[in-house]
Amino acid sequence: MNIKQAKQEIINTVQAYLTKDETGEYAIPVERQRPVLLIGPPGIGKTAIMEQVAQEWGIGKTQVMEQVAKECKVALVSYTITHHTRQSAIGLPFISKKTYDGEEVSVTEYTMSEIIASIYDQIEQSGIHEGILFLDEINCVSETLAPTMLQFLQYKTFGNHRVPD
């Protein structure tokens, strides 16, 4: 697949996911939509595809996804996931008080994921509720973050917090 085809596939996927029926519901329900992954062994050119598109357009790699988002009229939240720890991805623990059978107990809960919070921030700033969450270098996460990323790919959640529909 060449660069233009890869870019067009991403645009086609985003447009397919955003298509709505006559009642305003997504033609492909949100729970059936899956992440777009560029996967393959190291050195095959996943990052190079994005970098080549960036070079062709004279912009940075992250700006490629910004351009795709702009063409599709959606918002963009972008992260290089290798810079994250398990805590920033799923949230920090805190102790809250709950009452069970009339007895107050301390319970561990988690703050909202930095990544999920940034999606909500983007929605508030732009007013756009549909978008792309671009996670670069997802295959390079630490061993402690790998199960969290698997959970995210399967269920669109980080810890107890779900990516907004």
Side-chain angles (χ1 to χ4, degrees):
M1 178 178 292
N2 68 33
I3 296 164
K4 288 182 183 177
Q5 289 171 322
K7 175 194 164 219
Q8 193 57 51
E9 285 296 320
I10 294 168
I11 289 172
N12 290 347
T13 302
V14 171
Q15 289 173 341
Y17 284 170
L18 296 177
T19 301
K20 295 182 180 175
D21 63 20
E22 61 280 348
T23 65
E25 296 294 320
Y26 291 110
I28 302 172
V30 172
E31 23 324 308
R32 299 260 186 241
Q33 296 180 11
R34 295 294 175 247
V36 175
L37 296 174
L38 297 176
I39 59 174
I44 200 168
K46 301 174 300 289
T47 300
I49 288 172
M50 299 304 283
E51 288 172 346
Q52 287 176 24
V53 173
Q55 188 176 23
E56 181 180 309
W57 291 350
I59 58 179
K61 187 170 67 169
T62 301
Q63 292 171 311
V64 171
M65 290 312 298
E66 289 172 357
Q67 185 64 32
V68 169
K70 185 177 177 181
E71 286 185 34
C72 294
K73 297 178 175 69
V74 297
L76 171 71
V77 174
S78 178
Y79 276 96
T80 299
I81 203 68
T82 53
H83 298 143
H84 281 273
T85 64
R86 183 176 181 276
Q87 289 78 15
S88 64
I90 69 165
L92 295 171
F94 68 94
I95 305 298
S96 67
K97 299 287 184 184
K98 295 202 176 194
T99 303
Y100 297 114
D101 290 329
E103 184 180 337
E104 187 177 271
V105 295
S106 298
V107 178
T108 302
E109 294 188 47
Y110 287 87
T111 60
M112 181 176 278
S113 159
E114 176 185 316
I115 297 167
I116 301 290
S118 68
I119 295 169
Y120 282 104
D121 288 343
Q122 179 65 24
I123 290 170
E124 283 189 17
Q125 291 169 9
S126 69
I128 300 171
H129 291 259
E130 297 169 320
I132 297 169
L133 174 58
F134 176 56
L135 300 175
D136 197 14
E137 302 293 337
I138 196 169
N139 61 318
C140 298
V141 297
S142 67
E143 287 181 16
T144 58
L145 189 53
T148 301
M149 295 313 301
L150 181 59
Q151 175 192 12
F152 171 72
L153 293 172
Q154 291 177 327
Y155 304 109
K156 299 180 188 167
T157 62
F158 280 115
N160 297 329
H161 300 100
R162 182 167 171 64
V163 174
D165 290 342

